[in-house]
Amino acid sequence: MSENQVTVYELVGGEETFRELVDIFYSKVEADEKLRAIFPDDLEPGKKWQFLFLMQYWGGPQTYGAERGHPRLRMRHAPYAITPELRDLWAKYMLEAIDEVGIQEPARSMMRDYFDHGASFMINRYPHNE
């Protein structure tokens, strides 16, 4: 990246914005019985890692990698039964959180695309058609 390029991390306002995004997202998860059921009882570790990962992914501090190594997102999510329905709920709440935080273009579209595609990549269970 050249020194004139601004990262999404910088565009959206840095650490404070990512903290707010994760807090809003997790408040939606807590309020949804179906989605909450696949999360661990203690949400705090997940909030921490998601916050650090998102900051790093979007050009901020590299703390996630320093503390946890490679993200290995599919492997880390494998123990949780992520169905297409739960993927849709997850994506809905994350996209709502982006809008509630007030993230503006062009970062808004970049983040929405990333989360929409990323959520689909996490699907690991398909209900049988009966």
Side-chain angles (χ1 to χ4, degrees):
M1 181 182 310
S2 77
E3 64 184 58
N4 294 337
Q5 286 183 310
V6 176
T7 64
V8 169
Y9 175 81
E10 294 166 318
L11 274 175
V12 303
E15 182 175 329
E16 183 179 321
T17 301
F18 283 96
R19 174 83 59 206
E20 185 179 3
L21 180 71
V22 170
D23 286 345
I24 290 170
F25 170 74
Y26 267 86
S27 72
K28 293 173 180 297
V29 168
E30 286 185 276
D32 186 288
E33 188 175 296
K34 284 184 182 179
L35 192 57
R36 179 65 180 92
I38 68 164
F39 279 73
D41 290 341
D42 183 1
L43 294 176
E44 290 308 311
K47 287 173 74 171
K48 171 191 172 183
W49 295 123
Q50 185 180 57
F51 165 70
L52 292 175
F53 170 76
L54 293 177
M55 285 199 309
Q56 178 173 306
Y57 182 84
W58 294 107
Q62 302 296 295
T63 310
Y64 181 95
E67 291 187 17
R68 206 165 198 213
H70 189 280
R72 299 187 311 257
L73 294 177
R74 281 199 48 96
M75 183 201 76
R76 292 188 196 282
H77 289 81
Y80 309 103
I82 302 170
T83 63
E85 177 187 19
L86 294 176
R87 171 262 179 240
D88 290 348
L89 288 171
W90 189 99
K92 174 183 187 287
Y93 298 142
M94 184 55 80
L95 300 181
E96 287 176 357
I98 289 170
D99 289 342
E100 288 179 35
V101 169
I103 293 172
Q104 300 296 306
E105 296 297 350
R108 180 180 182 272
S109 290
M110 293 166 64
M111 292 177 76
R112 290 177 66 85
D113 287 347
Y114 170 77
F115 288 124
D116 189 51
H117 290 98
S120 295
F121 184 67
M122 293 299 134
I123 296 171
N124 58 22
R125 304 287 195 292
Y126 292 90
H128 294 107
N129 293 332
E130 296 180 8

